Amino acid sequence: MRALLIALRLIALSVATLAAPALAQRDPAYAEARAKGQIGEQPDGYLGIVGAPTDALRRLVADINLQRKAAYAESAKDGSTVEQFAFVSGCNLIAKTAPGEKYRTPGGEWKTRTAAPPERDPRCL
């Protein structure tokens, strides 16, 4: 268990380096969907569609999630699994949501971020 916690902490540090380039490359459709609350962060490290999906939202989320999975796979080469890396990324991405943005709770409910800390999985560091 201690080794897993150490690995997760190392992964968390790696996530910070991945997040900066991803944030800089957001396309306008992503920013608009996020601002409108149509998409949100999930505990598994991937984006989800909030409410009724459209074809455009499906394509947008699928494209971003493919990019995330590729980044997770590349980073997981350092001794963790893609799933572990994605989970830690989900913890961090949810923590970084801004008030007004959507995120999924560990129980599966979509919530809108307030000024209070978001609900995250208890395993998040």
Side-chain angles (χ1 to χ4, degrees), residues 21-109:
L23 293 175
Q25 296 175 8
R26 287 185 178 169
D27 77 33
Y30 169 82
E32 181 180 355
R34 192 171 178 108
K36 288 182 176 179
Q38 297 171 319
I39 60 174
E41 296 296 343
Q42 301 184 118
D44 64 0
Y46 297 97
L47 280 177
I49 298 173
V50 181
T54 65
D55 288 340
L57 283 176
R58 282 188 190 104
R59 283 191 301 275
L60 175 69
V61 168
D63 182 53
I64 291 170
N65 284 341
L66 282 173
Q67 292 175 38
R68 285 185 179 188
K69 186 168 187 173
Y72 299 158
E74 182 64 30
S75 296
K77 290 180 181 176
D78 294 331
S80 62
T81 68
V82 172
E83 292 77 17
Q84 287 171 327
F85 200 90
F87 172 79
V88 172
S89 296
C91 290
N92 293 331
L93 290 166
I94 288 172
K96 292 179 182 181
T97 56
E101 293 180 335
K102 297 285 189 179
Y103 71 95
R104 187 169 269 176
T105 67
E109 179 184 358

Side-chain angles (χ1 to χ4, degrees), residues 1-17 75 78-81 84-89 91-92 120 122-125:
M1 186 62 160
R2 186 171 191 276
L4 177 60
L5 288 175
I6 291 169
L8 290 176
R9 286 188 180 119
L10 290 173
I11 291 168
L13 292 172
S14 299
V15 170
T17 58
S75 296
D78 294 331
S80 62
T81 68
Q84 287 171 327
F85 200 90
F87 172 79
V88 172
S89 296
C91 290
N92 293 331
R120 297 188 310 157
R123 296 172 291 166
C124 293
L125 305 175

